[in-house]
Amino acid sequence: MIPSPRDTPSSDPGGTDKFDDDQYPAYTMGRAAEMLGTSQNFLRSLDETGLIEPQRSAGGHRRYSRGQLRLAARVRELVDQGTAVDAACRIVSLEDQLRESQRQNTELRSAE
């Protein structure tokens, strides 16, 4: 039986639940690779490029969040289309920077 959010202790005193935290490192490397349909080496390569920096468990094992897995999935799509891993990581990074700049521009324009 899966516990309901109200039966699960929250991750902080403010009441934010780990189930709702997009940055909570809930997935092991093996599980993350399985979910993405890729190898653990692929995930290691994303760590080496600096695009994704997984947290480490007390035993030193990599742990990934849902947000990190979404980035990895975007990179994998580009790699599947023939883009090199390092180039795909750069593209995804630049896309995120552009999206953030556009968001800031929208905020500044609406504040005027």
Side-chain angles (χ1 to χ4, degrees):
M1 181 168 114
I2 299 174
S4 73
R6 69 173 180 264
D7 296 333
T8 305
S10 57
S11 60
D12 64 58
T16 302
D17 197 292
K18 291 177 187 177
F19 290 118
D20 296 329
D21 186 353
D22 203 36
Q23 301 306 314
Y24 182 72
Y27 303 98
T28 63
M29 177 179 272
R31 180 67 179 132
E34 179 183 316
M35 290 171 68
L36 293 168
T38 191
S39 69
Q40 293 181 15
N41 282 338
F42 176 77
L43 290 170
R44 284 186 198 96
S45 70
L46 300 183
D47 189 6
E48 290 169 10
T49 66
L51 179 69
I52 294 177
E53 295 179 25
Q55 289 191 13
R56 298 285 183 147
S57 68
H61 300 282
R62 290 174 174 91
R63 305 282 298 187
Y64 297 89
S65 69
R66 286 186 310 218
Q68 290 172 325
L69 294 183
R70 275 195 289 281
L71 281 176
R74 287 170 53 200
V75 170
R76 176 150 188 250
E77 287 175 17
L78 292 170
V79 169
D80 287 348
Q81 294 170 9
T83 307
V85 172
D86 58 337
C89 289
R90 185 70 180 139
I91 290 167
V92 168
S93 176
L94 290 170
E95 287 173 344
D96 284 347
Q97 289 175 23
L98 176 59
R99 193 173 298 112
E100 177 60 18
S101 293
Q102 290 171 330
R103 185 194 63 76
Q104 289 174 356
N105 283 340
T106 300
E107 279 184 14
L108 288 172
R109 286 185 182 139
S110 65
E112 293 176 350

